[in-house]
Amino acid sequence: MTAQFQSALVLFSGGQDSTVCLAWALARYDRVETIGFDYGQRHAVEMECRANVLREFPSRFPQWGAKMGEDLVADLTGFGRLAESALTADQEIAAPEGQLPSTFVPGRNLAFLTSAAARAAVRDIDDLVGGMCQTDYSGYPDCRRDTMDAMETALERGMGRLVPIRTPLMDLTKAQTWALADELGGAALTGLIVTETHTCYRGDRTPHDWGAGCGDCPACDLREKGWREWRSAA
Protein backbone atom coordinates (compact mmCIF):
# COMPACT_ATOMS: atom_id res chain seq x y z
CA MET A 1 0.00 0.00 0.00
CA THR A 2 1.30 3.47 -0.87
CA ALA A 3 2.07 5.57 2.20
CA GLN A 4 -0.20 8.58 2.64
CA PHE A 5 1.14 11.95 3.69
CA GLN A 6 -0.74 15.14 4.33
CA SER A 7 -0.28 17.82 1.67
CA ALA A 8 2.00 18.73 -1.21
CA LEU A 9 2.60 21.64 -3.56
CA VAL A 10 3.73 20.46 -6.99
CA LEU A 11 5.91 22.74 -9.12
CA PHE A 12 3.90 22.20 -12.28
CA SER A 13 5.05 23.45 -15.67
CA GLY A 14 2.81 21.34 -17.90
CA GLY A 15 5.75 19.25 -19.10
CA GLN A 16 6.30 15.51 -19.00
CA ASP A 17 8.27 15.45 -15.76
CA SER A 18 6.00 17.72 -13.74
CA THR A 19 2.94 15.80 -14.96
CA VAL A 20 4.44 12.54 -13.70
CA CYS A 21 5.24 14.32 -10.42
CA LEU A 22 1.64 15.50 -10.15
CA ALA A 23 0.41 11.92 -10.52
CA TRP A 24 3.05 10.72 -8.04
CA ALA A 25 1.90 13.28 -5.48
CA LEU A 26 -1.78 12.53 -5.99
CA ALA A 27 -1.07 8.84 -5.33
CA ARG A 28 0.57 9.71 -1.99
CA TYR A 29 -0.89 12.86 -0.48
CA ASP A 30 -4.35 13.71 0.82
CA ARG A 31 -4.28 17.23 -0.64
CA VAL A 32 -2.28 18.41 -3.65
CA GLU A 33 -2.01 21.96 -4.96
CA THR A 34 -0.02 23.21 -7.94
CA ILE A 35 2.07 26.24 -8.77
CA GLY A 36 3.35 27.35 -12.16
CA PHE A 37 5.72 30.11 -13.20
CA ASP A 38 5.50 32.60 -16.01
CA TYR A 39 9.12 33.71 -16.28
CA GLY A 40 8.95 35.00 -19.84
CA GLN A 41 9.86 31.62 -21.27
CA ARG A 42 10.36 31.41 -25.00
CA HIS A 43 8.22 28.26 -25.06
CA ALA A 44 5.25 30.10 -23.56
CA VAL A 45 2.88 27.55 -25.10
CA GLU A 46 3.65 25.41 -22.05
CA MET A 47 1.36 27.70 -20.05
CA GLU A 48 -1.55 26.70 -22.28
CA CYS A 49 -0.55 23.05 -22.01
CA ARG A 50 -0.38 23.11 -18.20
CA ALA A 51 -3.94 24.47 -18.10
CA ASN A 52 -5.08 21.69 -20.45
CA VAL A 53 -3.42 18.99 -18.34
CA LEU A 54 -4.91 20.32 -15.10
CA ARG A 55 -8.35 20.46 -16.71
CA GLU A 56 -8.06 16.85 -17.93
CA PHE A 57 -6.80 15.27 -14.71
CA PRO A 58 -10.06 15.12 -12.71
CA SER A 59 -12.04 13.48 -15.52
CA ARG A 60 -9.31 11.05 -16.60
CA PHE A 61 -8.35 10.13 -13.05
CA PRO A 62 -11.47 10.46 -10.87
CA GLN A 63 -9.68 8.68 -8.02
CA TRP A 64 -7.43 11.74 -7.77
CA GLY A 65 -9.80 14.55 -8.70
CA ALA A 66 -11.08 15.18 -5.17
CA LYS A 67 -7.51 15.61 -3.92
CA MET A 68 -6.67 18.41 -6.36
CA GLY A 69 -6.69 21.83 -4.75
CA GLU A 70 -5.86 25.35 -5.86
CA ASP A 71 -3.53 26.22 -8.73
CA LEU A 72 -1.54 29.44 -8.88
CA VAL A 73 0.57 30.90 -11.69
CA ALA A 74 3.26 33.18 -10.29
CA ASP A 75 4.44 36.12 -12.39
CA LEU A 76 8.24 35.91 -12.50
CA THR A 77 8.66 37.68 -15.84
CA GLY A 78 10.96 40.19 -14.18
CA PHE A 79 13.26 37.38 -13.12
CA GLY A 80 13.27 36.04 -16.68
CA ARG A 81 14.50 39.40 -17.95
CA LEU A 82 17.15 39.49 -15.26
CA ALA A 83 18.42 35.95 -15.95
CA GLU A 84 18.34 36.06 -19.75
CA SER A 85 19.15 32.88 -21.66
CA ALA A 86 18.12 30.99 -24.79
CA LEU A 87 14.92 30.04 -22.94
CA THR A 88 13.90 33.64 -22.38
CA ALA A 89 15.33 35.44 -25.42
CA ASP A 90 15.92 34.87 -29.13
CA GLN A 91 19.32 33.22 -28.74
CA GLU A 92 20.84 30.13 -30.31
CA ILE A 93 20.18 26.89 -28.45
CA ALA A 94 23.62 25.40 -27.96
CA ALA A 95 25.64 23.29 -25.53
CA PRO A 96 29.34 24.22 -25.95
CA GLU A 97 31.73 21.58 -24.59
CA GLY A 98 32.83 22.36 -21.05
CA GLN A 99 30.25 25.12 -20.60
CA LEU A 100 26.69 25.35 -19.36
CA PRO A 101 24.05 25.08 -22.12
CA SER A 102 22.73 28.37 -23.49
CA THR A 103 19.28 27.26 -22.23
CA PHE A 104 20.40 27.45 -18.60
CA VAL A 105 18.47 30.18 -16.77
CA PRO A 106 20.72 31.15 -13.83
CA GLY A 107 18.97 30.55 -10.52
CA ARG A 108 15.66 29.55 -12.08
CA ASN A 109 14.95 26.56 -9.87
CA LEU A 110 16.18 28.47 -6.82
CA ALA A 111 13.66 31.23 -7.56
CA PHE A 112 10.94 28.66 -8.21
CA LEU A 113 11.59 26.82 -4.96
CA THR A 114 11.72 30.01 -2.88
CA SER A 115 8.42 31.16 -4.40
CA ALA A 116 6.85 27.74 -3.91
CA ALA A 117 8.02 27.60 -0.29
CA ALA A 118 6.38 30.97 0.38
CA ARG A 119 3.15 29.71 -1.18
CA ALA A 120 3.33 26.49 0.85
CA ALA A 121 3.74 28.46 4.07
CA VAL A 122 0.69 30.61 3.33
CA ARG A 123 -1.38 27.58 2.31
CA ASP A 124 -0.15 25.42 5.23
CA ILE A 125 1.26 22.78 2.86
CA ASP A 126 3.83 20.29 4.10
CA ASP A 127 6.02 19.30 1.13
CA LEU A 128 7.22 20.65 -2.20
CA VAL A 129 7.38 18.24 -5.15
CA GLY A 130 9.51 18.97 -8.21
CA GLY A 131 10.59 17.15 -11.36
CA MET A 132 14.31 17.89 -11.06
CA CYS A 133 16.49 15.08 -12.38
CA GLN A 134 20.27 14.55 -12.37
CA THR A 135 20.29 11.42 -14.57
CA ASP A 136 18.91 12.34 -18.01
CA TYR A 137 19.11 16.12 -17.99
CA SER A 138 20.72 19.10 -19.73
CA GLY A 139 23.53 19.63 -17.25
CA TYR A 140 21.89 22.36 -15.16
CA PRO A 141 23.50 22.62 -11.69
CA ASP A 142 20.17 23.55 -10.08
CA CYS A 143 18.69 20.17 -11.01
CA ARG A 144 20.97 18.15 -8.75
CA ARG A 145 20.02 16.62 -5.42
CA ASP A 146 22.82 18.40 -3.57
CA THR A 147 21.26 21.69 -4.69
CA MET A 148 17.89 20.54 -3.35
CA ASP A 149 19.49 19.59 -0.02
CA ALA A 150 21.13 23.02 0.22
CA MET A 151 17.82 24.71 -0.61
CA GLU A 152 16.01 22.71 2.07
CA THR A 153 18.52 23.98 4.63
CA ALA A 154 18.31 27.57 3.42
CA LEU A 155 14.51 27.56 3.34
CA GLU A 156 14.23 26.07 6.82
CA ARG A 157 16.61 28.65 8.26
CA GLY A 158 15.08 31.55 6.37
CA MET A 159 11.41 30.66 6.86
CA GLY A 160 11.45 29.04 10.28
CA ARG A 161 9.75 25.88 9.08
CA LEU A 162 10.89 22.61 7.55
CA VAL A 163 10.26 22.58 3.78
CA PRO A 164 11.04 19.10 2.40
CA ILE A 165 11.70 19.06 -1.35
CA ARG A 166 10.59 15.73 -2.83
CA THR A 167 12.17 14.85 -6.18
CA PRO A 168 10.79 11.47 -7.30
CA LEU A 169 12.51 11.61 -10.71
CA MET A 170 15.95 12.64 -9.44
CA ASP A 171 17.72 9.36 -10.21
CA LEU A 172 15.51 8.09 -13.04
CA THR A 173 16.32 7.98 -16.72
CA LYS A 174 13.71 9.37 -19.10
CA ALA A 175 12.77 5.78 -19.99
CA GLN A 176 12.18 5.08 -16.30
CA THR A 177 10.10 8.25 -16.05
CA TRP A 178 7.85 6.96 -18.85
CA ALA A 179 7.65 3.63 -16.99
CA LEU A 180 6.70 5.40 -13.76
CA ALA A 181 3.93 7.26 -15.58
CA ASP A 182 2.60 3.94 -16.86
CA GLU A 183 2.78 2.45 -13.37
CA LEU A 184 0.92 5.38 -11.83
CA GLY A 185 -1.79 5.99 -14.42
CA GLY A 186 -1.47 3.43 -17.21
CA ALA A 187 -2.27 4.31 -20.81
CA ALA A 188 -4.50 7.18 -19.67
CA LEU A 189 -1.52 9.00 -18.16
CA THR A 190 1.08 8.15 -20.81
CA GLY A 191 -1.44 9.13 -23.47
CA LEU A 192 -2.13 12.44 -21.74
CA ILE A 193 1.61 13.12 -21.58
CA VAL A 194 1.99 12.43 -25.30
CA THR A 195 -0.91 14.59 -26.45
CA GLU A 196 -1.13 17.45 -23.95
CA THR A 197 2.19 18.10 -22.20
CA HIS A 198 4.95 20.32 -23.56
CA THR A 199 8.72 20.05 -23.26
CA CYS A 200 10.19 21.51 -26.47
CA TYR A 201 12.43 24.53 -25.89
CA ARG A 202 11.31 26.09 -29.16
CA GLY A 203 7.60 25.92 -28.34
CA ASP A 204 6.98 23.69 -31.38
CA ARG A 205 3.80 21.60 -31.25
CA THR A 206 4.51 19.32 -34.23
CA PRO A 207 3.05 15.92 -33.24
CA HIS A 208 5.21 12.79 -32.93
CA ASP A 209 4.57 9.39 -31.38
CA TRP A 210 6.45 10.54 -28.24
CA GLY A 211 4.71 13.92 -28.02
CA ALA A 212 4.83 17.39 -29.58
CA GLY A 213 8.02 19.25 -30.35
CA CYS A 214 10.62 20.35 -32.87
CA GLY A 215 12.40 17.00 -32.62
CA ASP A 216 15.94 18.36 -32.44
CA CYS A 217 16.35 20.55 -29.34
CA PRO A 218 17.90 18.94 -26.22
CA ALA A 219 14.52 18.60 -24.47
CA CYS A 220 12.94 16.82 -27.45
CA ASP A 221 16.00 14.61 -27.84
CA LEU A 222 15.82 13.42 -24.23
CA ARG A 223 12.07 12.87 -24.39
CA GLU A 224 12.17 10.91 -27.64
CA LYS A 225 15.14 8.81 -26.55
CA GLY A 226 13.41 7.91 -23.29
CA TRP A 227 10.18 7.06 -25.10
CA ARG A 228 11.94 4.71 -27.53
CA GLU A 229 13.89 2.99 -24.74
CA TRP A 230 10.73 2.50 -22.71
CA ARG A 231 8.72 1.19 -25.63
CA SER A 232 11.46 -1.20 -26.72
CA ALA A 233 11.59 -2.65 -23.21
CA ALA A 234 7.80 -2.97 -22.87
Side-chain angles (χ1 to χ4, degrees):
M1 179 179 293
T2 301
Q4 285 296 125
F5 301 99
Q6 218 165 10
S7 56
L9 178 63
V10 178
L11 282 68
F12 184 69
S13 69
Q16 174 187 1
D17 291 347
S18 66
T19 299
V20 176
C21 285
L22 177 57
W24 181 89
L26 286 165
R28 284 162 175 76
Y29 292 85
D30 297 319
R31 175 169 63 100
V32 176
E33 297 191 8
T34 46
I35 185 169
F37 304 97
D38 179 358
Y39 60 99
Q41 55 267 56
R42 182 173 165 185
H43 51 304
V45 67
E46 77 173 14
M47 302 306 291
E48 299 174 23
C49 292
R50 76 180 299 279
N52 292 341
V53 174
L54 288 175
R55 185 175 58 250
E56 288 290 325
F57 247 75
S59 59
R60 296 202 191 198
F61 311 103
Q63 74 275 27
W64 294 336
K67 296 182 178 184
M68 294 181 68
E70 290 190 20
D71 175 55
L72 174 72
V73 175
D75 184 352
L76 297 185
T77 50
F79 179 81
R81 288 192 296 272
L82 180 70
E84 190 175 280
S85 82
L87 284 194
T88 60
D90 187 14
Q91 299 178 10
E92 181 183 359
I93 295 175
E97 187 173 351
Q99 300 179 40
L100 288 170
S102 66
T103 51
F104 176 60
V105 182
R108 180 181 63 168
N109 280 344
L110 308 185
F112 287 0
L113 289 165
T114 302
S115 302
R119 175 68 172 173
V122 170
R123 298 289 298 163
D124 193 26
I125 293 174
D126 301 306
D127 294 357
L128 305 182
V129 178
M132 300 79 176
C133 173
Q134 63 188 8
T135 306
D136 278 350
Y137 74 130
S138 297
Y140 303 158
D142 61 355
C143 285
R144 300 181 304 212
R145 187 61 231 182
D146 60 355
T147 302
M148 300 300 106
D149 293 340
M151 279 300 294
E152 281 187 354
T153 299
L155 291 170
E156 181 179 7
R157 291 180 179 177
M159 301 189 70
R161 73 191 295 260
L162 182 63
V163 188
I165 302 170
R166 310 298 184 189
T167 53
L169 312 184
M170 182 59 72
D171 297 312
L172 302 187
T173 65
K174 277 292 183 286
Q176 290 171 326
T177 297
W178 280 108
L180 178 58
D182 188 44
E183 176 186 331
L184 289 165
L189 183 56
T190 57
L192 179 68
I193 291 170
V194 168
T195 59
E196 300 297 339
T197 67
H198 186 82
T199 306
C200 176
Y201 288 157
R202 293 192 173 94
D204 194 315
R205 293 297 293 168
T206 301
H208 305 272
D209 54 354
W210 45 267
C214 67
D216 63 8
C217 74
C220 285
D221 183 60
L222 283 172
R223 181 164 169 161
E224 179 181 8
K225 179 185 174 185
W227 164 269
R228 305 230 177 274
E229 288 180 1
W230 171 61
R231 295 304 298 163
S232 66

